[in-house]
Amino acid sequence: MTFLILLAALIGLLYLGMPMFAALFLLPLSVLLWLEGGVPALGEMVIGKLDGYLLVAIPLFMLMAHIMVRGRVVDDLYNAAFALLRKVRGGVGIATVAACTIFAAISGSSVATALTIGKIAIPQMLKYGISRQGAFGVVAGGGTLGILIPPSAPMVLYAYVTETSVAALFLAGVVPGLMMAAMFAAYCFITEGKAVVPAEEPVPEAAHHALARAGWSLSLPVFVLGGIYMGVFTATEAAGTGTIYALVIAGLIYRTLTWRDVVQGVEEATRTSAMLLMIIAGAAIYGFMLTKLQVPQELTKLVADLGLGRTGFLVAMMVLLFVLGLVLESFSIILLTMPAILPLLGALDIDKVWYGILLTLSLEMALISPPVALNLVVIKAITGAPLSEVNRSIYPYMLMLAFGTALLIAFPEIALWLPRQAGYGS
């Protein structure tokens, strides 16, 4: 109950217009000053939390994605998928899912995936007969793959907070990500079967030519993730070398990247880093407050008293995370909930890697949940469609994500099999 009261107080401050980092400082400092009369070693606590080499990977992955987008290499990814799948039943929609899946392995961001692929794919889908709601839904749903298929910025933060292997989390996201992509593609196949490219229309580019052009951009996730899994470099080193590789692809091979694009990318990554570090600093004090108030122990006792068990606890947490996702962004949710929840994972014998993927799926659902969600706002901005129309398009994809979450709760091996094959975990 204490945890929910504190969470409600924090959300109340946010609704009053207070920035997240300020609310995270004000609430715990006020409580600690009231209860303890002060906060001992405040500076050491904050600096200790910010002094994490792994955190550098987040802005670098964002910069890598920005370079690939600005270099317009995404056009080739979509053209390759379109050339291969254009004649399949519902192929224009399936090509969009395929492009989202591949770009997710480059961007690590759901909003960036929806925005970038949506600009190219939505006009194409409407041209070839996919309904407006079908086109909006597949981009919004496909965009959620951005934080599930590695590399993923929220996964990096989760790994840092929970001291979990980034490589294990990245591997764990692969099979669930492909599973969700397959569900989305099957839905397009079933519901948008009439949307086919006319047989007499000339092929814009032969499939093998399109794949050849997209080869360099397809090699980026292989280079980054392959280097991590083979032990060539850490996640942070992978983000740095991946950024350099993206610069070579977009700047020297495609020759579509300007210095202005690079500067804008650095500015964007810097702003994101500053925001994230301030939130992490506030979250350090917030976590200290929860420990002082014995919130983890209270939650452990509550779960035991209610007799929830592992499955009941996971279902309850997925609902809570989904609700929080309606008002908070993913970084904040991870930093707010994990200090209280982490001890419970050990008590209930819940694998941290498994929980990390479940958390990511819940965040995905929140990204597309009406009335206002980031992916839906992006599609409204691209198309100019009323938000109410965009909202109606997303319900099938929310159900598919809920079904995927249920499958993952029932069968943990969907996420854990690949990491265990690679030697992570028991």
Side-chain angles (χ1 to χ4, degrees), residues 271-356:
R271 280 195 300 270
T272 303
S273 301
M275 173 202 75
L276 177 60
L277 291 175
M278 286 191 292
I279 292 175
I280 290 173
I285 308 171
Y286 176 83
F288 180 73
M289 174 193 68
L290 293 182
T291 303
K292 279 290 183 183
L293 294 176
Q294 297 189 327
V295 169
Q297 294 90 327
E298 181 185 302
L299 288 176
T300 303
K301 184 177 183 301
L302 178 64
V303 169
D305 291 345
L306 293 175
L308 286 177
R310 189 168 76 168
T311 302
F313 168 76
L314 287 173
V315 171
M317 280 308 304
M318 294 308 103
V319 173
L320 175 62
L321 290 169
F322 171 72
V323 172
L324 289 177
L326 299 178
V327 292
L328 299 172
E329 43 78 37
S330 56
F331 289 154
S332 299
I333 292 171
I334 293 169
L335 292 167
L336 290 178
T337 58
M338 289 318 300
I341 299 305
L342 192 56
L344 279 170
L345 300 185
L348 293 170
D349 194 28
I350 296 172
D351 190 288
K352 289 189 289 185
V353 172
W354 177 35
Y355 183 80

Side-chain angles (χ1 to χ4, degrees), residues 55-136:
L55 291 174
V56 181
I58 295 175
L60 285 175
F61 277 131
M62 290 179 176
L63 179 58
M64 180 181 76
H66 181 92
I67 290 168
M68 294 297 278
V69 171
R70 289 285 180 172
R72 294 189 293 281
V73 297
V74 181
D75 297 17
D76 287 336
L77 289 176
Y78 180 77
N79 290 339
F82 179 71
L84 286 169
L85 299 166
R86 61 198 293 275
K87 298 298 183 182
V88 178
R89 173 188 169 94
V92 189
I94 298 172
T96 302
V97 175
C100 286
T101 304
I102 298 167
F103 187 69
I106 295 173
S107 71
S109 164
S110 289
V111 175
T113 302
L115 176 63
T116 308
I117 301 298
K119 285 180 178 177
I120 309 166
I122 289 177
Q124 195 87 321
M125 287 190 283
L126 296 178
K127 175 183 175 181
Y128 292 117
I130 285 191
S131 65
R132 285 171 62 85
Q133 288 198 18
F136 298 162

Side-chain angles (χ1 to χ4, degrees), residues 3-290:
F3 178 60
L4 293 178
I5 292 172
L6 292 170
L7 208 53
L10 185 67
I11 292 172
L13 290 175
L14 296 177
Y15 267 104
L16 291 174
M18 186 174 290
M20 171 61 76
F21 78 91
L24 279 172
F25 275 98
L26 180 63
L27 177 65
L29 284 176
S30 301
V31 172
L32 290 169
L33 285 171
W34 178 48
L35 294 176
E36 304 283 330
V39 186
L42 176 61
E44 291 179 15
M45 182 198 313
V46 170
I47 295 298
K49 201 68 176 178
L50 295 177
D51 187 20
Y53 180 60
L54 182 59
L55 291 174
V56 181
I58 295 175
L60 285 175
F61 277 131
M62 290 179 176
L63 179 58
M64 180 181 76
H66 181 92
I67 290 168
M68 294 297 278
V69 171
R70 289 285 180 172
R72 294 189 293 281
V73 297
V74 181
D75 297 17
D76 287 336
L77 289 176
Y78 180 77
N79 290 339
F82 179 71
L84 286 169
L85 299 166
R86 61 198 293 275
K87 298 298 183 182
V88 178
R89 173 188 169 94
V92 189
I94 298 172
T96 302
V97 175
C100 286
T101 304
I102 298 167
F103 187 69
I106 295 173
S107 71
S109 164
S110 289
V111 175
T113 302
L115 176 63
T116 308
I117 301 298
K119 285 180 178 177
I120 309 166
I122 289 177
Q124 195 87 321
M125 287 190 283
L126 296 178
K127 175 183 175 181
Y128 292 117
I130 285 191
S131 65
R132 285 171 62 85
Q133 288 198 18
F136 298 162
V138 72
V139 171
T144 63
L145 299 172
I147 61 171
L148 182 58
I149 295 177
S152 163
M155 282 187 192
V156 173
L157 181 61
Y158 175 85
Y160 176 71
V161 172
T162 61
E163 298 182 357
T164 306
S165 164
V166 180
L169 275 168
F170 281 2
L171 276 174
V174 172
V175 175
L178 295 177
M179 176 184 75
M180 295 314 307
M183 285 188 196
F184 297 163
Y187 181 75
C188 289
F189 182 85
I190 294 168
T191 61
E192 300 293 344
K194 295 179 180 178
V196 252
V197 179
E200 64 275 8
E201 183 165 323
V203 181
E205 188 174 14
H208 65 280
H209 288 152
L211 282 172
R213 282 184 54 80
W216 283 106
S217 49
L218 289 169
S219 69
L220 178 61
V222 175
F223 173 78
V224 171
L225 300 176
I228 294 174
Y229 302 142
M230 293 174 66
V232 178
F233 34 60
T234 64
T236 305
E237 292 164 349
T241 51
T243 301
I244 295 171
Y245 191 49
L247 281 169
V248 171
I249 294 171
L252 300 181
I253 297 172
Y254 282 81
R255 297 183 181 276
T256 51
L257 190 71
T258 66
W259 281 111
R260 182 181 179 84
D261 294 331
V262 176
V263 170
Q264 287 178 344
V266 172
E267 289 176 349
E268 184 179 315
T270 303
R271 280 195 300 270
T272 303
S273 301
M275 173 202 75
L276 177 60
L277 291 175
M278 286 191 292
I279 292 175
I280 290 173
I285 308 171
Y286 176 83
F288 180 73
M289 174 193 68
L290 293 182

